[in-house]
C-alpha cells in the first residue's frame, strides 16, 4: 500500500511537552491548596484533551463542573505563558520530517490540545516544516478518538484515508486511526506503554522516528 500522507499527534509524538504541561497544572493545583502530581502520573492524564486532564488531576471530591471549569481556564492561561520552558522535539523527529518532505509526503497534525495552543506550539517548535493542516481541539468538532478531525484532514488533502498513516503515542490515537480507516502507528517514545498502544489497536509500533520510513 502506498501511503501519501501522515497525520501526527503532537504531545508525546512530535513534542515532549510533559514537563511544561505538568508544571502548569501543578501550579494551578498549588494555588488552590490541592495535592500535585509527579511526571509519571501526568503520562496517564494526558491525551484526551485539557478538560479531562484537569479533571483527572483534581482530587475526586473537587471534580464538580464549576471547579473543573475554573481550573481549566487557569491552566490554559498558565500554559500559554509557559509552554516553551522545557518542551523539545523528540530525538529523530527533525530528521523524519525532513525525509517526509523530501519524499513529498504530506504532513499534518491532529491533537486534542486546544487549537490556539497547538498552533502556538507549532509556531515555536515546528515552523521549519510546512504542515498542510494543524488541527487542535475546537468547540464544533468532536475530540479524538472521534474521527471527524482526521477525516477533515483527509478531505482537505484529497487523500483516501486508507493511504494515510496516523502516528501517535496513545490508545486514543490508535482508536482514531481505526475509526477513520487509516493505518495506526504507535510510537514507543511517548507517554503511553506498548500494552496501551496495542490495546488501542496499533498495527505497527516504532521505537525511533526514522522507523516510520520503512512503511513508506
Amino acid at each position: 500500500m502506498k501511503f501519501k500522507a501522515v497525520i501526527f499527534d503532537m504531545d508525546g509524538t512530535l513534542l515532549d511537552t510533559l514537563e511544561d504541561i505538568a508544571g502548569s497544572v501543578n501550579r494551578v493545583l498549588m494555588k488552590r491548596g490541592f495535592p500535585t502530581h509527579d511526571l509519571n502520573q501526568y503520562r496517564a492524564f494526558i491525551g484526551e484533551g485539557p478538560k479531562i486532564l484537569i479533571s483527572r488531576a483534581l482530587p475526586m471530591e473537587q471534580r464538580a463542573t464549576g471547579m473543573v471549569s475554573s481550573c481549566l481556564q487557569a491552566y490554559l492561561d498558565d500554559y500559554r505563558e509557559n509552554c516553551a520552558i522545557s518542551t523539545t522535539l523528540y530525538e529523530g523527529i527533525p530528521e523524519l520530517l525532513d525525509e517526509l518532505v523530501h519524499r513529498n509526503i504530506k504532513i499534518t497534525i491532529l491533537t486534542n490540545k486546544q487549537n490556539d495552543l497547538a498552533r502556538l506550539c507549532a509556531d515555536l517548535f515546528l515552523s521549519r516544516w510546512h504542515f498542510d493542516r494543524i488541527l487542535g481541539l475546537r468547540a464544533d468538532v468532536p475530540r479524538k478518538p472521534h474521527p471527524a478531525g482526521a477525516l477533515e484532514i483527509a478531505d482537505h488533502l484529497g487523500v483516501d484515508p486508507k493511504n494515510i498513516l496516523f502516528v501517535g503515542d496513545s490508545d486514543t490515537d490508535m482508536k482514531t486511526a481505526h475509526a477513520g480507516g487509516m493505518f495506526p502507528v504507535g510510537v514507543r517514545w511517548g507517554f503511553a506503554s506498548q500494552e496501551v498502544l496495542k490495546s488501542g489497536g496499533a498495527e505497527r509500533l516504532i521505537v525511533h522516528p526514522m522507523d516510520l520510513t520503512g512503511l513508506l
Side-chain angles (χ1 to χ4, degrees):
M1 183 181 295
K2 182 175 176 57
F3 294 107
K4 300 178 180 178
V6 180
I7 297 177
F8 288 102
D9 173 50
M10 179 174 276
D11 300 307
T13 301
L14 294 173
L15 302 178
D16 184 355
T17 56
L18 187 63
E19 288 190 33
D20 285 337
I21 291 174
S24 285
V25 178
N26 278 341
R27 282 189 289 274
V28 171
L29 295 174
M30 287 177 63
K31 287 178 181 178
R32 287 161 173 78
F34 299 145
T36 58
H37 308 280
D38 63 29
L39 288 180
N40 280 331
Q41 289 174 294
Y42 278 103
R43 291 179 187 277
F45 293 168
I46 295 171
E48 297 186 60
K51 185 176 181 179
I52 292 180
L53 163 66
I54 293 300
S55 181
R56 288 170 173 166
L58 282 168
M60 187 71 71
E61 68 277 8
Q62 296 292 341
R63 295 177 183 176
T65 300
M67 180 60 73
V68 172
S69 297
S70 173
C71 291
L72 173 60
Q73 189 57 57
Y75 160 69
L76 294 175
D77 292 342
D78 186 287
Y79 185 70
R80 190 172 288 107
E81 297 298 321
N82 297 287
C83 65
I85 296 174
S86 301
T87 292
T88 60
L89 278 75
Y90 284 102
E91 181 181 352
I93 288 297
E95 292 79 7
L96 172 61
L97 295 177
D98 285 344
E99 181 65 18
L100 293 174
V101 170
H102 175 71
R103 296 193 188 199
N104 294 316
I105 302 294
K106 297 179 185 295
I107 55 174
T108 67
I109 295 172
L110 179 64
T111 172
N112 278 340
K113 186 190 286 294
Q114 289 286 118
N115 195 52
D116 65 320
L117 295 176
R119 292 182 176 276
L120 174 60
C121 287
D123 287 343
L124 290 171
F125 300 103
L126 297 163
S127 61
R128 178 174 141 194
W129 301 276
H130 170 70
F131 287 85
D132 288 271
R133 209 67 158 181
I134 299 171
L135 298 182
L137 191 64
R138 297 164 292 163
D140 57 339
V141 180
R143 61 180 172 83
K144 298 183 293 182
H146 195 286
L151 293 174
E152 179 182 336
I153 288 175
D155 183 65
H156 172 76
L157 297 177
V159 175
D160 192 307
K162 71 175 182 292
N163 298 123
I164 297 176
L165 293 170
F166 197 110
V167 181
D169 73 307
S170 70
D171 57 341
T172 297
D173 295 314
M174 302 303 98
K175 291 173 182 176
T176 307
H178 277 289
M182 302 169 184
F183 190 88
V185 180
V187 308
R188 293 293 314 281
W189 58 82
F191 302 156
S193 67
Q194 173 177 308
E195 290 71 28
V196 167
L197 291 167
K198 286 183 175 180
S199 71
E203 296 285 346
R204 190 71 58 88
L205 297 177
I206 58 175
V207 299
H208 187 276
M210 290 302 288
D211 293 343
L212 190 69
T213 62
L215 296 173
L216 300 176

